[in-house]
Amino acid sequence: MTPVTWWSLGLTLAVLASLVQTPQPLVFLVVLAFAGMVSLGQPRLRRSSVRIYGGTALFVLVVRVAFRFVFNVPATSQVAVSLPVIQFQIFANQVTLLGPVSSPNLIAGVTDGLRLAAIILAVGFAASVANPRSLIKSAPAVLYEFATATTIALNVAPQLISSLNRVRRARVLRGGTSGLASLRGVIIPVLEDTIQRSLDLAASMDSRGFGRRGAMRLRVVYSARAAAGIGVMLFGTASYLLLASAYSVFIGLLTFALGLVCIAVSARLAGMHRVRTRLITAYPKAGDWLVRLLCLSLVLVTAVDNYGPARQVLEWRP
Amino acid sequence: MISLSQVSFRFQAGGRAALKDVTLKYSAGEFALIAGATGAGKSTLLRAMNGLAPHFTGGNLTGSIAIDGRDLTGREPHEFAHLVGYVNQLAEASFVADTVREELAFGMEQLGVAPASMVARIDKIAAALDLTEVLDSPLDELSGGFQQRVAIAGALAAGQQILLLDEPTSELDQAGAESLLALLENLAHRSGVTVIMAEHRVDRLIGRVDSLTVVDSSGEVSKHSDAETFEAAAASAGLMPATAFQELYIRPPKVADSDPVLVASGVSVNYNGSKAVENLNLKIYKGTVTGVYGPNGSGKSSLLWALQGETNCEGSIEFRDDAGTLTHLSKNLKERLREVAMVPQSASDLLLMHSVAEELQDSDHFAAATDGSTASLLEKLVGKIDYSLHPRDLSSGQQLALALAIQLSKGSRVLLLDEPTRGLDYQARNALAQQIKTLAESGHAILVASHDLEFLLGVTSSCIALENGMAIKAGPTAAVLA
Amino acid sequence: MKLARPILSKALVAAVAVISLTAFMWPLLVGSAVPDQSRVAQSTFMLLMPVLIGLMVVAVGSRELNSRQIAVLGVFIALNSVVRMLGAGTAGIETIFFLILIGGYALGTSFGYLVGAGSLLVSALLTGGFGPWLPFQMMAAGLLGFLAGALPHPKKGWAQLSWLSAFSLVGAYLYGGLMTMWNWPYLAGAGGTLGYVPGASVIENLMRFVNFELVTGGLLWDTGRAITTLVLLWLTAPALLTTLSRVARRAGFELPK
């Protein structure tokens, strides 16, 4: 499966985690994402992925629940855990800590913690199966220049590390110190080399044909700009709708989805310059399309099911 | 194939002409060499042939350039790109992608080649340049020689018929240069590509090329196609090594001086899990020049760093101090530098200040020497230079001399030089040999690590040959390097 | 960098910036007390942020970059990522910002944004810390770089350094504030003594946020960041700024007047 497909899967898991409202599906999603990361991830990255993503997810969950306990509003009913109340004054602020923790609060805390853990692990799963670096290669054509700069940076960085080491060693040869104070004496020669190197790089890029600009049909250009403009306006509206109390969540989500569509259309149009081509080593196969379709349907169904008009969470308040 | 007519180039209006009224032609399948001293216009001539001059370098170009009959004067580099491939001196610095395959595709992507043909062409050029096994390897894992081949492949992937190379052999050792030349000859004579390379060290190339173009410092360019005349033309332009190199040969030390000033026993250096240097024994004597010979990657640099006192090595390194006793190298940095000083591979790494004057001042200050002592050392090495210049604006020979002076001012008995002839033209190389001879005669012990066989033959009296970190031969230079 | 169609691009930049700030500060703005609303808002903004970054990258004119500018951008980002790794691991010692500020100041607002966003992205890719927080870090760092380019550029070197220093202090706390604001709902949740209260006034939530910052020591971290950036700036800015203005001319960036 192509990297884009894997990332769609990961993203779907994350979106599902953010849409569901009860803790049980979240537990399932957490386990699923973790299992996926461990079993399907590249073996070389397995240990570091588990450490980074698993560790962060665990940390978030623990902190979230701990916060619920420590910075609690003492409950009078449905007490799950009874803790003594601690009260004191700081700067004329009354601070209340601990106290009886109510079950709803506890469950809410655990749910929220699980939610973020699931999102983190979903991203971790995608990142360990399909290296994010390969995602940059599949970036839309409208971001080509930025993607190229990023790829250059990824490849130059290790070379720079050896440059920095070489220069630091040379400083020792000369009798200087190594440490933070020597940073200036090291960074500046390396920066000079860096700049020189970048110019050589640019010459090589130009020599290979970089910089050809094809003329785009005006109609396409205007449509792309219009679509982007509409998309941005939709995002702004969606932000407002999602935050304002008077509107149902579904409207906001819908507006957001429409905005995404507009931006996708705009990116597609803006990339139609027909000057550059791209080497495609792995074409998306039927399986890829199937999985992507599945992901999309899952997200749509869950969104509508949880927040759709049939089960309005919030009603219009005149 | 490519013809220039009355081409002149100036970097600044009214300034010196880098190229003056150049008219010449290169035909298909010709293996051409452009020679000239460093700083003469040979790189400029090369860059004029693919549009980089003037569009990328700045400056003013007059005259006309035609490729395959088509007039391309004044066009931007990307309009030359489907006809001319250009390879930089340092292949690594021109990479834009992660793997070999993507790097090869880059040029074709810019030219809008259809994805299906791209795949076919990549396979074809990889086969031609023996890169098929590494097509999916990350670029940073390849050796320098491979990287250079990838750069060449990338320049020719879209079927370009002209290849321009800027100083391709300067970083290579003997074996590497040999295989590159064989490759280029092949490309020219069997595949019909016009291969044009610019170099300043021409002695090992003259016998292999079809034509020699000499660029001198006044911008005059002359092309020679008769192989008999190459040597004479190069010699008259000052580009051939002085035959008097053998005069610099140092006589071996007398027996009375048989106490070594530096003794290394059982030295082993670990690098990234493997042994860069294994169980090496070495003795350096006062007033002599010892050589360490080996191809790139044989462990010469690691050995020198270990001798300098970098800590992660096994075995012992002992130094004979003024009293005559052998002690381990001092842990204190300042003292150690007074015992052993080193000039690393890229000498310019040692230069940190904004002007030569500042460097000299700092050096005097560190060595607690009188003002101007480093300056006088520098003058003895390379004559008078402008002290207000930024160190990076000096020529490689001058930078090396400055680095040498700075390290010498510390008064160390032992001097280690790592690949000092890299990037130097013949005059600078001769000057360096003279300097080394003078230093040896005044009592220093010098160790030179290099893959430049000729230089070691001319300058050192005894030598060890390294291969994969182990000394395979040791003894008088003439015997070891024969 | 000269932008084609400057007015439209500026409008786009402004619009995207405003929406991004909303995405960061939504706990202050959320209007309803129903938990679902907050949760959906939070998740939607998490999805929205990468899209906003893409829009911003285009809006600052990435498509007009020539090969020299791309190469300088690429190696600059690489240098910044390496510098970040040098300082990694120690609490509050964040070395990634001073180069973003210097780069933006010397080479303009667009370059500043691209260096900011690019540095966070590349260093995350190199160290493996690629998580849902990354788009927010990228946008915040990018905005910092952008604003650095918009600072006044007096002639005297010490005056330039003063402006940069002042901004680095403000910027360090701004960045910290934005990122903590993003963290806040995840760590403290709604309600409780330190959580946000959906539906309450902006002032009330702001007070709660300040309490949260104080209690979790976020301000300490921010102060560490501010000091590190300031020190590194003082050590390197004078020399770097001169080098970069040389580069700017050779690479064809248009210097801010």
Side-chain angles (χ1 to χ4, degrees), chain B residues 172-422:
Chain B
L172 302 176
D173 57 21
Q174 198 77 340
E178 189 47 52
S179 76
L180 175 69
L181 287 173
L183 171 67
L184 293 176
E185 257 180 325
N186 214 337
L187 279 173
H189 297 155
R190 278 212 232 143
S191 313
V193 177
T194 309
V195 177
I196 307 175
M197 69 178 169
E199 274 285 1
H200 64 248
R201 283 197 58 177
V202 301
D203 52 337
R204 55 188 176 182
L205 304 170
I206 277 194
R208 316 282 291 263
V209 298
D210 298 331
S211 72
L212 173 67
T213 310
V214 178
V215 181
D216 73 28
S217 47
S218 65
E220 301 282 345
V221 173
S222 54
K223 184 173 181 220
H224 310 263
S225 307
D226 181 5
E228 313 280 308
T229 60
F230 289 171
E231 212 170 309
S236 69
L239 296 170
M240 292 294 281
T243 48
F245 204 64
Q246 303 309 324
E247 289 168 15
L248 301 166
Y249 186 80
I250 312 247
R251 265 181 261 123
K254 303 191 198 62
V255 177
D257 277 316
S258 63
D259 284 334
V261 76
L262 187 80
V263 179
S265 328
V267 172
S268 293
V269 177
N270 276 323
Y271 186 71
N272 273 354
S274 61
K275 282 207 181 282
V277 176
E278 208 162 327
N279 211 4
L280 196 106
N281 299 311
L282 179 67
K283 290 200 178 94
I284 307 179
Y285 295 86
K286 193 172 124 169
T288 65
V289 184
T290 316
V292 177
Y293 174 74
N296 284 342
S298 51
K300 307 193 291 295
S301 290
S302 310
L303 173 61
L304 257 61
W305 281 105
L307 290 176
Q308 204 277 322
E310 202 189 41
T311 37
N312 47 353
C313 79
E314 297 150 23
S316 80
I317 299 169
E318 287 161 321
F319 174 80
R320 191 179 301 277
D321 60 17
D322 293 324
T325 44
L326 271 181
T327 50
H328 283 276
L329 276 181
S330 166
K331 289 270 186 257
N332 179 302
L333 182 65
K334 265 200 157 175
E335 279 177 38
R336 201 167 76 220
L337 286 175
R338 238 178 283 133
E339 297 162 359
V340 181
M342 175 171 160
V343 176
Q345 249 186 32
S346 36
S348 56
D349 284 348
L350 278 179
L351 308 173
L352 322 154
M353 310 283 172
H354 294 295
S355 70
V356 177
E358 280 178 46
E359 298 276 5
L360 296 173
Q361 208 177 1
D362 180 84
S363 165
D364 288 334
H365 176 78
F366 180 81
T370 52
D371 284 336
S373 45
T374 316
S376 63
L377 276 170
L378 179 63
E379 220 171 308
K380 267 188 240 150
L381 292 174
V382 84
K384 267 235 169 287
I385 58 177
D386 184 357
Y387 288 172
S388 65
L389 284 176
H390 195 288
R392 281 172 192 274
D393 292 333
L394 298 173
S395 72
S396 346
Q398 289 169 328
Q399 283 179 346
L400 180 62
L402 182 55
L404 205 56
I406 293 174
Q407 294 302 76
L408 280 175
S409 70
K410 297 174 173 53
S412 16
R413 307 275 206 76
V414 181
L415 189 61
L416 309 173
L417 301 175
D418 196 352
E419 294 280 4
T421 59
R422 180 170 283 193

Side-chain angles (χ1 to χ4, degrees), chain C residues 105 154-163 238 241:
Chain C
Y105 192 74
K155 290 281 170 115
K156 294 244 165 72
W158 60 264
Q160 292 187 341
L161 192 58
S162 322
W163 275 109
L241 284 175

Side-chain angles (χ1 to χ4, degrees), chain A residues 18 53 64 115 191 242-243, chain C residues 31 37 39 43 130 186 240:
Chain A
S18 40
Y53 296 104
R64 194 72 170 78
R115 180 168 294 118
L191 185 69
L242 283 172
L243 294 176
Chain C
Q37 176 140 30
R39 203 165 20 82
S43 311
F130 194 87
Y186 288 110
L240 281 184

Side-chain angles (χ1 to χ4, degrees), chain A residues 7 11 14-15 17-21 52-53 56 59-60 63-65 67-68 70-73 91 93 95-97 105 112-113 115-116 119-120 123-124 127 131-133 135-136 141-146 148-150 152-154 156-158 160-161 164 168 180-181 183-184 187-188 190-192 194-199 201-203 205-206 210 213 216 225 228-229 232-233 235-236 238-239 241-249 252-253 256 260 263 270-271 273 306-307 313-314 317, chain C residues 5 8 12 15-16 19 22-23 25-27 29-34 36-48 51-55 57-58 62-83 85-86 95 98-99 113-115 117-119 121-123 125-133 138 182 184-195 207 211-212 214-216 231-232 234-236 238-240 243-244 246-247 250-251:
Chain A
W7 277 90
L11 212 60
V15 171
S18 40
L19 288 177
V20 301
Q21 302 171 1
I52 296 176
Y53 296 104
T56 318
F59 172 77
V60 166
V63 167
R64 194 72 170 78
V65 174
F67 259 85
R68 267 279 169 256
V70 175
F71 301 104
N72 179 37
V73 174
F91 303 124
N93 275 354
V95 178
T96 315
L97 297 178
N105 262 352
D112 280 341
R115 180 168 294 118
L116 185 58
I119 293 175
I120 293 175
V123 173
N131 197 332
R133 288 172 75 149
L135 205 62
I136 294 180
V142 72
L143 293 175
Y144 179 72
E145 288 78 10
F146 187 64
T148 309
T150 310
I152 291 172
L154 283 169
V156 168
L160 278 186
I161 294 181
L164 272 173
R168 247 189 340 176
L180 200 62
L183 192 67
R184 169 172 56 175
I187 273 211
I188 292 172
V190 175
L191 185 69
E192 298 259 353
T194 303
I195 304 292
Q196 182 53 48
R197 178 187 217 112
S198 73
L199 293 175
L201 180 58
M205 285 164 71
D206 276 352
F210 192 91
R213 290 193 196 284
M216 271 174 63
R225 278 193 225 161
V232 171
M233 285 195 284
F235 284 144
S239 310
L241 290 174
L242 283 172
L243 294 176
S245 59
Y247 302 95
S248 82
V249 162
L253 281 180
F256 174 64
L260 281 180
I263 296 298
H273 50 66
N306 278 328
Y307 302 106
V313 176
L314 205 61
R317 271 193 267 261
Chain C
R5 317 170 304 280
L8 271 181
L12 187 59
V16 173
I19 301 179
T22 318
M25 301 198 295
W26 66 267
L29 304 167
V30 68
S32 142
V34 181
D36 280 347
Q37 176 140 30
S38 311
R39 203 165 20 82
V40 172
Q42 183 177 36
S43 311
T44 313
F45 286 131
M46 192 157 52
L47 270 184
L48 179 59
V51 181
L52 289 176
I53 293 177
L55 277 169
V57 164
V58 174
S62 78
R63 303 184 69 197
E64 277 107 49
L65 292 174
N66 66 27
S67 63
R68 254 168 294 169
Q69 291 161 339
I70 295 179
V72 168
L73 180 62
V75 297
F76 204 81
I77 291 177
L79 184 62
N80 204 7
S81 313
V82 168
V83 166
M85 291 197 269
L86 288 180
T95 48
F98 78 102
L99 278 177
Y113 184 81
L114 295 173
V115 170
S119 300
L121 177 63
V122 170
S123 57
L125 287 174
L126 288 174
T127 56
F130 194 87
W133 50 80
M138 284 171 68
W182 182 79
W184 188 30
Y186 288 110
L187 292 179
T193 47
L194 279 187
M207 296 305 310
N211 279 337
F212 176 77
L214 283 171
V215 169
T216 53
V231 167
L232 288 170
W234 282 341
L235 281 180
T236 58
L240 281 184
T243 312
L244 284 177
R246 257 190 16 231
V247 169
R250 283 170 82 181

